Amino acid sequence: MSILALEIFFIVLLVIAGLTIAWFAGLVVWRLFKGQK
């Protein structure tokens, strides 16, 4: 049971990290396009 809970915890952590990286990348791309105009 504890192994399953740990696996779920790490998967949630991975999803949060992925979303944060994707948001940051989107912000950088948006600022680059905004800076071109």
Side-chain angles (χ1 to χ4, degrees):
M1 183 61 190
S2 61
I3 293 172
L4 182 66
L6 198 69
E7 197 175 341
I8 290 169
F9 171 73
F10 276 113
I11 288 169
V12 169
L13 208 66
L14 191 69
V15 168
I16 290 170
L19 286 173
T20 304
I21 291 166
W23 174 81
F24 190 74
L27 188 72
V28 168
V29 170
W30 181 69
R31 282 195 173 182
L32 280 173
F33 277 114
K34 188 181 173 189
Q36 276 186 341
K37 291 184 178 178

